[in-house]
């Protein structure tokens, strides 16, 4: 059911937020991560431009007023080499600034303060515009036997019974479901679902897998989530 065309969609889209107000930056990082994006944050224009030029981002959320070099300068410099979609944030309400931003190559504009839901909606529009094939290929539902995931409503059911999952558990399950039958390592799960890029002592993945299992498998006869010792986890229907 899931061919190579869908395989490309496994990894979450990576966004870069360039914002110097640390509270807002953290709020965006957390909120966008919960929306399923992988989010990096830069707190000034210089770091932001460096990351944006060297990193592999699908979209930038760029604050207009930044220490070091401001948002417009970051954008102008970035556009010399990259066409990554840019959503600019600004506290400035002047029309000239808006025009300047768009002329410098911003793809969209959002005035502060903004509603988080509007930010997410604009990001989705820009990503869809930039990756029409990718978003079209994105399935709405994922299935494995009696397990069903509705990616739009973010609803998981098994044998018609609703599974009450946290955001991370849902993301974990949807990643494993997209790659059903494939052993996925703890390190990869930590990177993809938690955006953790270090060899850590924490057992965050194991704990989450255990919780997920208690909701996904425990009430049912046949387990779907299997541990492959020393390698990771796999989601599949096994013949008994
Ligand atoms: Ca600022």
């Amino acid at each position: 059911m899931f061919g190579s065309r869908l395989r490309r969609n496994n990894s979450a889209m990576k966004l870069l937020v360039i914002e110097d107000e640390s509270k807002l930056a953290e709020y965006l990082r957390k909120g966008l991560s919960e929306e399923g994006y992988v989010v990096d944050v830069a707190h000034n224009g210089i770091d932001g431009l460096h990351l944006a030029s060297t990193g592999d981002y699908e979209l930038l959320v760029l604050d207009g007023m930044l220490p070091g070099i401001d948002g417009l300068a970051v954008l102008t410099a970035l556009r010399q080499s990259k066409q990554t979609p840019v959503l600019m944030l600004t506290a400035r309400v002047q029309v000239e600034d808006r025009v300047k931003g768009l002329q410098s190559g911003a793809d969209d504009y959002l005035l502060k303060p903004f509603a988080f839901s509007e930010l997410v909606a604009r990001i989705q529009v820009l990503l869809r515009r930039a990756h029409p094939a990718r978003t079209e290929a994105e399935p709405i539902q994922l299935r494995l036997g009696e397990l069903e995931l509705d990616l739009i409503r973010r609803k998981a059911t098994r044998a018609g019974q609703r599974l009450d999952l946290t955001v991370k558990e849902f993301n974990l399950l949807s990643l494993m479901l997209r790659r059903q039958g494939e052993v996925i390592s703890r390190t990869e799960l930590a990177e993809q679902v938690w955006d953790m890029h270090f060899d850590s002592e924490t057992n965050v993945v194991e704990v989450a897998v255990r919780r997920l299992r208690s909701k996904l498998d425990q009430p049912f006869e046949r387990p779907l989530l299997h541990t492959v010792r020393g390698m990771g986890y796999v989601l599949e229907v096994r013949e008994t």
Side-chain angles (χ1 to χ4, degrees), residues 19-21 63 65-66 112:
E19 169 62 67
D20 59 311
E21 289 166 51
D63 184 31
M65 304 256 283
L66 292 166
K112 288 179 175 178

Side-chain angles (χ1 to χ4, degrees), residues 10-12 29 32-39 154 166-176 184-197 204-205 208-209 212:
N10 290 339
S11 56
R29 191 196 61 72
L32 292 171
S33 302
E34 284 171 0
E35 290 295 317
Y37 298 108
V38 171
V39 185
R154 295 185 72 84
T166 64
V167 171
K168 291 294 184 199
E169 287 162 358
F170 187 91
N171 292 347
L172 179 62
L173 185 58
S174 79
L175 174 71
M176 298 198 73
I184 310 177
S185 70
R186 284 181 188 82
T187 312
E188 188 178 351
L189 290 174
E191 278 183 18
Q192 298 277 341
V193 180
W194 285 268
D195 195 25
M196 290 172 22
H197 299 274
V204 56
V205 176
V209 166
L212 176 60

Side-chain angles (χ1 to χ4, degrees), residues 90-117:
T90 185
R92 290 180 287 184
V93 290
Q94 285 92 351
V95 176
E96 306 90 90
D97 285 328
R98 188 189 153 85
V99 171
K100 238 190 273 166
L102 293 172
Q103 280 173 344
S104 307
D107 298 272
D108 200 359
Y109 223 86
L110 198 55
L111 288 180
K112 288 179 175 178
F114 51 84
F116 185 72
S117 56

